[in-house]
Amino acid sequence: MHDVGDLLDVLDLRRIGASVFEGRNGALDLPRVFGGQLAAQALVAAARTVPAPLVPQSLHATFLRPGRSGLANRFEVTHVRDGRSRTTRAVDLLQDGKAVLRLTAAFGTPAAGVAHQTPAPEAGRPGDAPTLDESIADVGGLTGLWSGFSAVEIRVAPCADGPPSRGLLWMRAAGPLPADPLVHAAVLCYATDLTLLSAALVPHGLRLGRERDHDHAWDTVSLDHALWLHHIPRADEWLLFDQHSPVASHGRSLATAHVYDRTGELCATVTQEGLLVATPLA
């Protein structure tokens, strides 16, 4: 998505049945549809069948096959459970009759109870941090990879300690968003798929995104994506992603992140499994 308006348009699904929706794909120079877009659209489809005041609290998505940008996305929502304080939906994303993604989402209302959280790390001010393009400007061919994701602004914060795979990034929508909490939840869902799996490449001397070593070009492919919304933040204000990868083994990697708002409140946790794909260079 080249700007926030385009992202909002992609997230604005068309209802074609009581629990069936259709959406288009953003224009990106990628061999497959961006998984974060599909997960965010599926969350919107699920939410459109849930009454207020219930809001998204978690989602779990499994990517079944690559999405094709030239095909329409059909979202079929199953009402798994309707409760007074918690509701569950399942969403099947189909392209040309074939399953691309399966997502379950839980909706609920805030409740009183005990509270604690992991403190936010020191990350400086977002305005002092370089943009993602600036931080990888010395790596030929990488800056163009991110040109289609300008709907989200990304800045790389200094990271002085933690595991070798740790990275601190500030992210926000690159423009104001409507007040609807669902929009902010969906944009956050979209953003959580942008850089997370690349944490698995960092301990091996590779940068965020796709980069060449001596013999291969590396890429990442999402398999599973889970997001817990402890509360829904404003996605058009700076959010700090504290991400790392605890393991990469046998071609797969696992990455996780805590997402904090500017006040230091932990507002979301995300975990993702994916493939690390090495393509031999000619």
Side-chain angles (χ1 to χ4, degrees), residues 37-214:
Q37 174 212 295
L38 299 178
Q41 288 177 312
L43 176 62
V44 170
R48 294 275 178 85
T49 70
V50 174
L54 301 178
V55 296
Q57 293 186 334
S58 68
L59 65 86
H60 296 75
T62 300
F63 295 93
L64 304 173
R65 56 170 48 87
R68 296 166 56 188
S69 60
L71 298 177
N73 301 322
R74 179 184 174 92
F75 301 89
E76 299 181 353
V77 182
T78 300
H79 295 229
V80 178
R81 180 179 183 273
D82 288 287
R84 287 179 295 179
S85 62
R86 191 168 176 82
T87 289
T88 304
R89 295 289 185 264
V91 182
D92 290 298
L93 164 57
L94 307 175
Q95 285 190 334
D96 199 23
K98 297 179 180 179
V100 172
L101 174 143
R102 171 81 170 185
L103 177 140
T104 58
F107 300 81
T109 55
V114 300
H116 70 271
Q117 69 164 66
T118 301
E122 176 56 45
R125 298 185 304 177
D128 296 334
T131 66
L132 182 58
D133 275 351
E134 290 170 344
S135 72
I136 59 178
D138 60 326
V139 183
L142 273 187
T143 54
L145 174 67
W146 298 99
S147 61
F149 295 99
S150 53
V152 176
E153 185 177 356
I154 305 175
R155 292 181 174 267
V156 182
C159 184
D161 56 14
S165 64
R166 188 182 193 186
L168 299 176
L169 299 105
W170 292 103
M171 295 192 205
R172 67 177 178 183
L177 299 174
D180 184 357
L182 174 59
V183 172
H184 292 266
V187 172
L188 175 57
C189 177
Y190 175 91
T192 58
D193 193 34
L194 286 171
T195 65
L196 191 56
L197 281 179
S198 60
L201 300 175
V202 175
H204 307 282
L206 301 174
R207 302 287 188 95
L208 292 169
R210 185 181 303 167
E211 182 179 1
R212 295 184 174 186
D213 62 15
H214 296 294

Side-chain angles (χ1 to χ4, degrees), residues 14 29 53 72 116 186 193 209 216 229 241:
R14 183 169 67 94
D29 186 19
H116 70 271
D193 193 34
H216 299 84
L229 294 160
F241 286 63

